[in-house]
Structure formats: structure tokens, C-alpha cells
Coordinates of all heavy atoms in Angstrom, one line a residue:
M1 N 0.8 -1.2 0.0 CA 0.0 0.0 0.0 C 0.9 1.2 0.0 O 1.9 1.3 0.7 CB -0.9 0.0 1.2 CG -1.8 1.3 1.3 SD -2.8 1.4 2.7 CE -1.7 2.2 3.9
K2 N 0.5 2.2 -0.8 CA 1.1 3.5 -0.8 C 0.1 4.6 -0.5 O -1.0 4.5 -1.0 CB 1.7 3.7 -2.2 CG 2.5 5.0 -2.4 CD 3.8 4.9 -1.7 CE 4.7 6.1 -1.9 NZ 5.8 6.3 -1.0
K3 N 0.5 5.6 0.2 CA -0.5 6.6 0.6 C 0.2 8.0 0.6 O 1.3 8.2 1.1 CB -1.0 6.4 2.0 CG -2.0 7.3 2.5 CD -2.6 6.9 3.9 CE -3.8 7.7 4.3 NZ -4.3 7.2 5.6
F4 N -0.5 9.0 0.0 CA -0.1 10.4 -0.1 C -1.1 11.2 0.6 O -2.3 11.1 0.4 CB 0.1 10.9 -1.5 CG 1.0 10.1 -2.4 CD1 0.5 9.3 -3.4 CD2 2.4 10.2 -2.2 CE1 1.4 8.5 -4.2 CE2 3.2 9.5 -3.0 CZ 2.7 8.7 -4.0
I5 N -0.6 12.1 1.5 CA -1.6 13.0 2.2 C -1.1 14.4 1.9 O 0.1 14.8 2.2 CB -1.6 12.8 3.7 CG1 -2.0 11.3 4.0 CG2 -2.5 13.8 4.4 CD1 -1.8 10.9 5.5
L6 N -2.0 15.2 1.4 CA -1.7 16.6 1.0 C -2.7 17.5 1.7 O -3.9 17.2 1.9 CB -1.8 16.8 -0.5 CG -0.9 15.9 -1.4 CD1 -1.7 14.8 -2.1 CD2 -0.1 16.7 -2.3
V7 N -2.2 18.7 2.1 CA -3.1 19.7 2.7 C -2.9 21.1 2.1 O -1.9 21.4 1.5 CB -2.9 19.8 4.2 CG1 -3.2 18.5 4.9 CG2 -1.5 20.3 4.5
K8 N -4.0 21.9 2.2 CA -4.0 23.2 1.7 C -4.9 24.1 2.5 O -6.0 23.6 2.9 CB -4.4 23.2 0.2 CG -4.6 24.6 -0.4 CD -5.1 24.5 -1.8 CE -5.3 25.8 -2.5 NZ -5.9 25.7 -3.8
K9 N -4.5 25.3 2.7 CA -5.4 26.3 3.4 C -6.5 26.6 2.4 O -6.2 26.9 1.2 CB -4.7 27.5 3.9 CG -4.0 27.3 5.2 CD -3.6 28.6 5.8 CE -3.0 28.3 7.1 NZ -2.6 29.6 7.8
S10 N -7.8 26.6 2.9 CA -8.9 26.9 2.0 C -8.8 28.4 1.5 O -8.5 29.3 2.3 CB -10.2 26.7 2.8 OG -11.3 27.1 1.9
D11 N -9.1 28.5 0.2 CA -9.2 29.9 -0.3 C -10.6 30.2 -0.7 O -10.9 31.0 -1.5 CB -8.2 30.0 -1.5 CG -8.4 28.9 -2.5 OD1 -9.4 28.1 -2.4 OD2 -7.5 28.8 -3.4
G12 N -11.6 29.4 -0.1 CA -13.0 29.5 -0.5 C -13.7 30.7 0.1 O -13.1 31.5 0.9
E13 N -14.9 30.8 -0.1 CA -15.7 32.0 0.4 C -16.6 31.5 1.5 O -16.4 30.4 2.0 CB -16.6 32.5 -0.8 CG -15.7 32.9 -1.9 CD -16.4 34.0 -2.8 OE1 -17.5 34.4 -2.5 OE2 -15.7 34.3 -3.8
R14 N -17.5 32.3 2.0 CA -18.5 32.0 3.1 C -17.8 31.6 4.4 O -18.2 30.7 5.0 CB -19.4 30.9 2.6 CG -20.3 31.3 1.5 CD -21.2 30.2 1.1 NE -20.3 29.1 0.6 CZ -20.7 28.0 0.0 NH1 -21.9 27.8 -0.3 NH2 -19.8 27.1 -0.4
G15 N -16.8 32.3 4.7 CA -16.1 32.1 6.0 C -15.2 30.9 6.1 O -14.8 30.5 7.2
Q16 N -14.9 30.3 5.0 CA -14.1 29.1 5.0 C -12.6 29.4 4.9 O -11.8 28.5 5.0 CB -14.5 28.1 3.9 CG -15.9 27.7 3.9 CD -16.2 26.9 5.2 OE1 -15.5 26.1 5.6 NE2 -17.3 27.3 5.8
N17 N -12.3 30.7 4.7 CA -10.8 31.0 4.6 C -10.1 30.6 5.8 O -10.4 30.7 6.9 CB -10.7 32.6 4.4 CG -11.1 33.0 3.0 OD1 -11.0 32.3 2.1 ND2 -11.4 34.3 2.9
G18 N -8.9 30.0 5.5 CA -8.0 29.6 6.6 C -8.2 28.1 7.1 O -7.4 27.6 7.7
K19 N -9.4 27.5 6.8 CA -9.6 26.1 7.2 C -8.8 25.3 6.2 O -8.6 25.6 5.1 CB -11.1 25.8 7.0 CG -11.9 26.5 8.0 CD -13.1 25.7 8.5 CE -13.8 26.5 9.5 NZ -14.4 25.7 10.5
K20 N -8.3 24.2 6.8 CA -7.4 23.3 6.0 C -8.3 22.3 5.2 O -9.2 21.7 5.7 CB -6.5 22.6 6.9 CG -5.4 23.4 7.4 CD -4.3 22.6 8.0 CE -3.1 23.6 8.4 NZ -2.1 22.9 9.1
K21 N -7.9 22.1 3.9 CA -8.4 21.1 3.1 C -7.4 20.0 3.0 O -6.2 20.2 3.0 CB -8.7 21.7 1.7 CG -9.7 22.8 1.7 CD -10.2 23.1 0.3 CE -9.1 23.7 -0.6 NZ -9.6 24.2 -1.9
I22 N -7.9 18.8 3.0 CA -7.0 17.6 2.9 C -7.4 16.7 1.7 O -8.6 16.7 1.3 CB -7.1 16.8 4.2 CG1 -6.1 15.7 4.3 CG2 -8.5 16.2 4.4 CD1 -5.8 15.1 5.6
Y23 N -6.4 16.1 1.1 CA -6.6 15.2 0.0 C -5.7 14.0 0.2 O -4.5 14.2 0.3 CB -6.2 16.0 -1.3 CG -6.8 15.3 -2.6 CD1 -8.0 15.7 -3.1 CD2 -6.1 14.2 -3.2 CE1 -8.5 15.1 -4.2 CE2 -6.6 13.6 -4.3 CZ -7.8 14.0 -4.8 OH -8.4 13.4 -5.9
E24 N -6.3 12.9 0.3 CA -5.6 11.6 0.5 C -5.7 10.7 -0.7 O -6.8 10.6 -1.3 CB -6.1 10.9 1.7 CG -6.0 11.6 3.0 CD -6.5 10.8 4.2 OE1 -6.3 9.6 4.2 OE2 -7.1 11.4 5.1
I25 N -4.6 10.1 -1.1 CA -4.6 9.2 -2.2 C -4.0 7.9 -1.7 O -2.9 7.9 -1.1 CB -3.7 9.7 -3.4 CG1 -4.1 11.1 -3.8 CG2 -3.7 8.7 -4.5 CD1 -3.1 11.8 -4.6
V26 N -4.7 6.8 -1.8 CA -4.3 5.5 -1.3 C -4.3 4.5 -2.4 O -5.3 4.3 -3.1 CB -5.2 5.0 -0.1 CG1 -4.8 3.6 0.4 CG2 -5.3 6.0 1.0
V27 N -3.1 3.9 -2.6 CA -3.0 2.8 -3.7 C -3.0 1.5 -3.0 O -2.1 1.2 -2.1 CB -1.7 3.0 -4.5 CG1 -1.6 2.0 -5.6 CG2 -1.6 4.4 -5.1
E28 N -4.0 0.7 -3.3 CA -4.0 -0.7 -2.7 C -4.1 -1.7 -3.9 O -5.2 -1.9 -4.4 CB -5.3 -0.8 -1.8 CG -5.2 0.1 -0.6 CD -6.6 0.1 0.1 OE1 -7.6 0.0 -0.5 OE2 -6.5 0.1 1.4
G29 N -3.0 -2.2 -4.3 CA -3.0 -3.1 -5.5 C -3.4 -2.3 -6.7 O -2.7 -1.4 -7.1
T30 N -4.4 -2.8 -7.4 CA -4.9 -2.2 -8.6 C -6.0 -1.1 -8.3 O -6.6 -0.6 -9.3 CB -5.5 -3.2 -9.6 OG1 -6.5 -3.9 -9.0 CG2 -4.4 -4.2 -10.0
R31 N -6.2 -0.8 -7.1 CA -7.3 0.2 -6.7 C -6.7 1.4 -6.1 O -5.7 1.4 -5.4 CB -8.2 -0.5 -5.7 CG -9.3 0.4 -5.2 CD -10.2 -0.4 -4.3 NE -9.7 -0.3 -2.9 CZ -10.5 -0.3 -1.8 NH1 -11.8 -0.4 -1.9 NH2 -10.0 -0.2 -0.6
V32 N -7.2 2.6 -6.6 CA -6.8 3.9 -6.0 C -8.0 4.5 -5.4 O -9.0 4.7 -6.0 CB -6.2 4.8 -7.1 CG1 -5.8 6.2 -6.5 CG2 -5.0 4.2 -7.8
V33 N -7.9 4.9 -4.1 CA -8.9 5.5 -3.4 C -8.5 7.0 -3.1 O -7.4 7.2 -2.6 CB -9.2 4.8 -2.0 CG1 -10.4 5.6 -1.3 CG2 -9.6 3.4 -2.2
M34 N -9.3 7.9 -3.5 CA -9.0 9.3 -3.3 C -10.1 9.9 -2.4 O -11.3 9.7 -2.6 CB -9.1 10.1 -4.6 CG -7.9 9.6 -5.6 SD -8.3 10.1 -7.3 CE -9.5 8.9 -7.7
M35 N -9.7 10.5 -1.3 CA -10.6 11.1 -0.3 C -10.2 12.6 -0.1 O -9.1 12.9 0.0 CB -10.5 10.4 1.0 CG -11.0 8.9 0.9 SD -10.7 8.0 2.4 CE -8.9 7.7 2.2
W36 N -11.2 13.4 0.0 CA -11.0 14.9 0.2 C -12.1 15.5 1.0 O -13.2 15.0 1.0 CB -10.8 15.5 -1.2 CG -12.0 15.5 -2.0 CD1 -13.0 16.5 -2.1 CD2 -12.4 14.5 -2.9 NE1 -13.9 16.2 -3.0 CE2 -13.6 15.0 -3.5 CE3 -11.9 13.3 -3.3 CZ2 -14.3 14.2 -4.5 CZ3 -12.6 12.6 -4.3 CH2 -13.8 13.0 -4.8
G37 N -11.7 16.7 1.6 CA -12.7 17.4 2.4 C -11.9 18.3 3.3 O -10.7 18.5 3.2
K38 N -12.7 18.9 4.3 CA -12.1 19.7 5.3 C -11.4 18.8 6.3 O -11.9 17.8 6.8 CB -13.1 20.6 6.0 CG -13.8 21.6 5.1 CD -14.8 22.4 5.8 CE -15.8 23.0 4.8 NZ -17.0 23.3 5.4
A39 N -10.2 19.2 6.7 CA -9.4 18.4 7.7 C -10.1 18.3 9.0 O -10.0 17.4 9.7 CB -8.0 19.0 7.8
E40 N -10.9 19.4 9.4 CA -11.6 19.4 10.7 C -12.8 18.5 10.8 O -13.3 18.3 11.8 CB -12.0 20.9 11.0 CG -10.9 21.9 11.1 CD -10.4 22.4 9.7 OE1 -11.1 22.1 8.7 OE2 -9.4 23.1 9.7
E41 N -13.3 18.0 9.6 CA -14.5 17.2 9.6 C -14.1 15.7 9.3 O -13.2 15.4 8.6 CB -15.4 17.7 8.6 CG -16.0 19.1 8.9 CD -16.9 19.6 7.8 OE1 -17.2 18.9 6.9 OE2 -17.4 20.7 8.0
L42 N -14.9 14.8 9.9 CA -14.7 13.4 9.7 C -15.2 12.9 8.4 O -14.6 12.0 7.8 CB -15.3 12.6 10.8 CG -14.7 12.8 12.2 CD1 -15.5 12.1 13.3 CD2 -13.3 12.4 12.3
N43 N -16.3 13.4 7.9 CA -16.9 12.9 6.7 C -16.1 13.5 5.5 O -16.0 14.7 5.4 CB -18.4 13.3 6.6 CG -19.2 12.6 7.6 OD1 -18.8 11.5 8.0 ND2 -20.3 13.2 8.0
K44 N -15.7 12.7 4.6 CA -14.9 13.1 3.4 C -15.6 12.5 2.2 O -16.2 11.5 2.2 CB -13.5 12.5 3.5 CG -12.7 12.8 4.7 CD -12.0 14.2 4.7 CE -11.1 14.4 5.8 NZ -11.7 14.8 7.0
Q45 N -15.5 13.3 1.1 CA -15.9 12.7 -0.2 C -14.9 11.7 -0.6 O -13.7 11.7 -0.3 CB -16.0 13.9 -1.2 CG -17.1 14.9 -0.9 CD -17.2 15.9 -1.9 OE1 -17.3 15.6 -3.1 NE2 -17.3 17.2 -1.5
Q46 N -15.3 10.8 -1.5 CA -14.5 9.7 -1.9 C -14.7 9.3 -3.3 O -15.9 9.3 -3.8 CB -14.7 8.5 -1.0 CG -13.9 7.3 -1.3 CD -14.0 6.2 -0.2 OE1 -13.9 6.5 1.0 NE2 -14.3 5.0 -0.6
N47 N -13.7 8.9 -4.0 CA -13.8 8.4 -5.4 C -12.8 7.2 -5.4 O -11.7 7.3 -4.9 CB -13.4 9.4 -6.4 CG -13.7 9.0 -7.8 OD1 -14.3 8.0 -8.1 ND2 -13.2 9.8 -8.7
V48 N -13.2 6.1 -6.1 CA -12.4 4.9 -6.2 C -12.2 4.6 -7.7 O -13.2 4.7 -8.5 CB -13.0 3.7 -5.5 CG1 -12.2 2.5 -5.7 CG2 -13.3 4.0 -4.1
K49 N -11.0 4.3 -8.1 CA -10.7 3.9 -9.5 C -10.0 2.6 -9.5 O -9.1 2.3 -8.6 CB -9.8 5.0 -10.2 CG -10.6 6.3 -10.5 CD -9.8 7.1 -11.5 CE -10.6 8.3 -11.9 NZ -11.6 8.1 -12.9
Y50 N -10.3 1.8 -10.5 CA -9.7 0.5 -10.6 C -8.8 0.4 -11.9 O -9.2 1.0 -12.9 CB -10.7 -0.6 -10.6 CG -11.5 -0.7 -9.3 CD1 -12.6 0.0 -9.1 CD2 -11.0 -1.5 -8.3 CE1 -13.3 -0.1 -7.9 CE2 -11.7 -1.6 -7.1 CZ -12.8 -0.9 -6.9 OH -13.5 -1.0 -5.7
F51 N -7.7 -0.3 -11.9 CA -6.8 -0.4 -13.0 C -6.5 -1.8 -13.3 O -6.7 -2.7 -12.4 CB -5.5 0.4 -12.7 CG -5.8 1.9 -12.6 CD1 -6.1 2.4 -11.4 CD2 -5.8 2.7 -13.7 CE1 -6.4 3.8 -11.2 CE2 -6.1 4.1 -13.6 CZ -6.4 4.6 -12.3
Q52 N -5.9 -2.1 -14.4 CA -5.6 -3.5 -14.8 C -4.3 -4.0 -14.1 O -4.2 -5.2 -13.8 CB -5.4 -3.6 -16.3 CG -6.8 -3.5 -17.0 CD -6.6 -3.7 -18.5 OE1 -5.5 -3.8 -19.0 NE2 -7.7 -3.7 -19.2
T53 N -3.4 -3.1 -13.8 CA -2.2 -3.5 -13.2 C -1.9 -2.5 -12.0 O -2.3 -1.4 -11.9 CB -1.0 -3.4 -14.1 OG1 -0.7 -2.0 -14.5 CG2 -1.2 -4.2 -15.4
E54 N -1.0 -3.0 -11.1 CA -0.6 -2.2 -9.9 C 0.2 -1.0 -10.4 O 0.2 0.1 -9.8 CB 0.2 -3.0 -9.0 CG -0.7 -4.1 -8.2 CD 0.1 -4.9 -7.2 OE1 1.3 -4.5 -6.9 OE2 -0.4 -5.9 -6.7
N55 N 1.0 -1.2 -11.5 CA 1.8 -0.2 -12.0 C 1.0 1.0 -12.5 O 1.3 2.2 -12.3 CB 2.7 -0.7 -13.1 CG 3.9 0.2 -13.4 OD1 4.4 0.9 -12.5 ND2 4.4 0.1 -14.6
Q56 N -0.1 0.7 -13.3 CA -1.0 1.7 -13.7 C -1.6 2.5 -12.6 O -1.7 3.7 -12.6 CB -2.1 1.1 -14.6 CG -1.7 0.6 -15.9 CD -2.8 -0.1 -16.7 OE1 -3.6 -0.8 -16.1 NE2 -2.8 0.0 -18.0
A57 N -2.0 1.8 -11.5 CA -2.6 2.4 -10.4 C -1.6 3.4 -9.7 O -2.0 4.5 -9.4 CB -3.1 1.4 -9.4
Y58 N -0.4 2.9 -9.6 CA 0.6 3.7 -8.9 C 0.9 5.0 -9.7 O 0.9 6.1 -9.2 CB 1.9 3.0 -8.7 CG 3.0 3.8 -8.2 CD1 3.0 4.2 -6.8 CD2 4.0 4.3 -9.0 CE1 4.0 5.0 -6.3 CE2 5.1 5.1 -8.5 CZ 5.1 5.4 -7.2 OH 6.0 6.2 -6.7
W59 N 1.0 4.9 -11.0 CA 1.3 6.1 -11.9 C 0.2 7.0 -11.9 O 0.4 8.2 -12.0 CB 1.8 5.7 -13.3 CG 3.2 5.2 -13.2 CD1 3.6 3.9 -13.3 CD2 4.4 5.9 -13.0 NE1 5.0 3.8 -13.1 CE2 5.5 5.1 -13.0 CE3 4.6 7.3 -12.8 CZ2 6.8 5.5 -12.8 CZ3 5.9 7.7 -12.7 CH2 7.0 6.9 -12.6
F60 N -1.1 6.5 -11.9 CA -2.2 7.4 -11.8 C -2.2 8.2 -10.5 O -2.4 9.4 -10.5 CB -3.5 6.6 -11.9 CG -4.7 7.4 -11.6 CD1 -5.3 8.2 -12.6 CD2 -5.3 7.5 -10.4 CE1 -6.4 9.0 -12.4 CE2 -6.4 8.3 -10.1 CZ -7.0 9.0 -11.1
A61 N -1.9 7.5 -9.4 CA -1.9 8.2 -8.1 C -0.8 9.2 -8.1 O -0.9 10.3 -7.5 CB -1.6 7.2 -7.0
L62 N 0.4 8.9 -8.6 CA 1.5 9.9 -8.7 C 1.1 11.1 -9.5 O 1.4 12.2 -9.1 CB 2.7 9.2 -9.3 CG 4.1 9.7 -8.9 CD1 4.3 9.7 -7.4 CD2 5.2 8.9 -9.5
G63 N 0.4 10.9 -10.6 CA 0.0 12.0 -11.4 C -1.0 12.9 -10.7 O -1.0 14.1 -10.7
K64 N -1.9 12.3 -9.9 CA -2.9 13.0 -9.1 C -2.2 13.8 -8.0 O -2.6 14.9 -7.7 CB -3.9 12.0 -8.5 CG -5.1 12.6 -7.8 CD -5.9 13.5 -8.7 CE -6.9 12.8 -9.6 NZ -7.8 13.7 -10.2
K65 N -1.2 13.2 -7.4 CA -0.4 13.9 -6.4 C 0.3 15.2 -7.0 O 0.1 16.3 -6.4 CB 0.7 13.0 -5.8 CG 1.7 13.7 -4.9 CD 2.8 12.7 -4.5 CE 4.1 13.2 -4.5 NZ 4.7 14.3 -5.1
Y66 N 0.9 15.1 -8.2 CA 1.5 16.2 -8.8 C 0.5 17.3 -9.2 O 0.7 18.5 -9.1 CB 2.3 15.8 -10.1 CG 3.5 15.0 -9.7 CD1 3.9 13.8 -10.5 CD2 4.4 15.4 -8.7 CE1 5.0 13.1 -10.2 CE2 5.5 14.6 -8.4 CZ 5.8 13.5 -9.2 OH 7.0 12.8 -8.9
E67 N -0.7 16.8 -9.7 CA -1.8 17.7 -10.0 C -2.2 18.6 -8.8 O -2.4 19.8 -8.9 CB -3.0 16.9 -10.5 CG -4.2 17.7 -10.8 CD -5.4 16.8 -11.2 OE1 -5.2 15.9 -12.0 OE2 -6.5 17.0 -10.7
K68 N -2.3 17.9 -7.7 CA -2.7 18.7 -6.4 C -1.6 19.6 -6.0 O -1.9 20.7 -5.5 CB -3.1 17.7 -5.3 CG -4.4 16.9 -5.6 CD -5.5 17.9 -5.7 CE -6.8 17.3 -6.2 NZ -7.9 18.3 -6.4
E69 N -0.4 19.2 -6.1 CA 0.7 20.1 -5.7 C 0.7 21.3 -6.6 O 1.0 22.4 -6.1 CB 2.1 19.3 -5.8 CG 2.2 18.3 -4.7 CD 3.5 17.5 -4.8 OE1 3.9 17.2 -5.9 OE2 4.0 17.2 -3.8
E70 N 0.4 21.2 -7.9 CA 0.3 22.3 -8.8 C -0.8 23.3 -8.4 O -0.7 24.5 -8.6 CB 0.1 21.9 -10.2 CG 1.4 21.3 -10.8 CD 1.1 20.8 -12.2 OE1 0.0 20.9 -12.8 OE2 2.1 20.2 -12.8
K71 N -1.8 22.8 -7.7 CA -2.9 23.6 -7.3 C -2.7 24.2 -5.9 O -3.6 24.8 -5.3 CB -4.2 22.8 -7.3 CG -4.7 22.4 -8.7 CD -6.0 21.7 -8.6 CE -6.4 21.4 -10.1 NZ -7.8 20.7 -10.1
G72 N -1.5 24.0 -5.3 CA -1.2 24.7 -4.0 C -1.2 23.8 -2.8 O -1.0 24.2 -1.7
Y73 N -1.5 22.5 -3.0 CA -1.4 21.5 -1.9 C 0.0 21.2 -1.5 O 0.9 21.2 -2.4 CB -2.1 20.2 -2.2 CG -3.6 20.3 -2.2 CD1 -4.4 20.9 -3.2 CD2 -4.3 19.8 -1.1 CE1 -5.7 20.9 -3.2 CE2 -5.7 19.9 -1.0 CZ -6.4 20.4 -2.1 OH -7.8 20.5 -2.0
D74 N 0.3 21.0 -0.3 CA 1.6 20.6 0.2 C 1.6 19.1 0.7 O 0.6 18.7 1.4 CB 2.0 21.5 1.4 CG 2.2 22.9 1.0 OD1 2.9 23.1 0.0 OD2 1.8 23.8 1.7
L75 N 2.5 18.4 0.2 CA 2.6 17.0 0.7 C 3.1 16.9 2.1 O 4.2 17.5 2.5 CB 3.6 16.2 -0.2 CG 3.8 14.7 0.1 CD1 2.5 14.0 -0.2 CD2 5.0 14.2 -0.7
V76 N 2.3 16.3 3.0 CA 2.7 16.3 4.4 C 3.1 14.9 4.8 O 3.8 14.7 5.8 CB 1.6 16.8 5.4 CG1 1.3 18.3 5.1 CG2 0.3 16.0 5.2
A77 N 2.7 13.9 4.0 CA 3.1 12.5 4.4 C 3.0 11.6 3.1 O 2.2 11.8 2.3 CB 2.1 11.9 5.4
S78 N 4.0 10.8 3.0 CA 4.1 9.8 1.9 C 4.4 8.5 2.6 O 5.6 8.3 3.0 CB 5.1 10.2 0.9 OG 5.2 9.3 -0.1
L79 N 3.5 7.6 2.7 CA 3.6 6.4 3.5 C 3.6 5.1 2.5 O 3.0 5.1 1.5 CB 2.5 6.2 4.5 CG 2.2 7.4 5.4 CD1 1.0 7.3 6.1 CD2 3.4 7.7 6.3

């Protein structure tokens, strides 16, 4: 299993400024689970993608990590 955890301060409206947003990417074999939401809340949105090989799943997750870093997220853990 490989896991990336990224965080970013919210730049949203309606009083959300300064709250932390979290984005987690978990690779489990050929499955990639992406979870995101406010770090302060337990309920997170989730999306799951399946791939034919573990290598495809890993490279998809790595691409998603880079995409989030380009949007201002900071990598806080890579497990």
C-alpha cells in the first residue's frame, strides 16, 4: 500500500478562509482511493478507481499527487 496526504489552506468563500483542506490518495494493489474534504471534519468525499495493473494504479496516483501540488497543496506524508 502507498499513501499520499496533501493539505492546503482553504481559499474559499463563506467564512471558509483559513480552514485546511485535505486530499488523501491511497493505492491498494490495482485500486486507487481518493478522499478529500475539510481536515476538521470526519466525513470526506471519496472516489475509487480500478486499474488493470498495480503499475498503472501507482502512476495514476502519482499524477494525481503532482496535479494537487500544482494547485497549491503541500505533501505532508508519503507512506
Side-chain angles (χ1 to χ4, degrees):
M1 179 181 86
K2 183 72 176 166
K3 184 175 188 177
F4 302 107
I5 302 173
L6 301 110
V7 295
K8 175 184 177 184
K9 281 194 174 183
S10 177
D11 50 10
E13 303 204 3
R14 296 178 296 191
Q16 300 301 315
N17 284 335
K19 294 213 179 213
K20 286 191 178 178
K21 297 191 296 187
I22 189 166
Y23 198 94
E24 295 182 40
I25 306 164
V26 180
V27 182
E28 298 171 323
T30 59
R31 179 174 89 146
V32 178
V33 180
M34 295 160 287
M35 294 171 281
W36 65 92
K38 294 178 198 157
E40 297 85 5
E41 295 180 2
L42 295 176
N43 293 333
K44 307 274 188 281
Q45 293 184 48
Q46 180 174 307
N47 188 9
V48 180
K49 289 198 176 277
Y50 295 90
F51 297 88
Q52 292 183 352
T53 68
E54 290 181 13
N55 200 28
Q56 287 175 327
Y58 174 75
W59 284 104
F60 172 83
L62 206 57
K64 187 59 80 169
K65 174 187 139 338
Y66 291 136
E67 176 185 312
K68 290 299 172 182
E69 288 176 326
E70 286 178 1
K71 291 184 178 183
Y73 282 79
D74 294 316
L75 182 67
V76 294
S78 180
L79 312 169

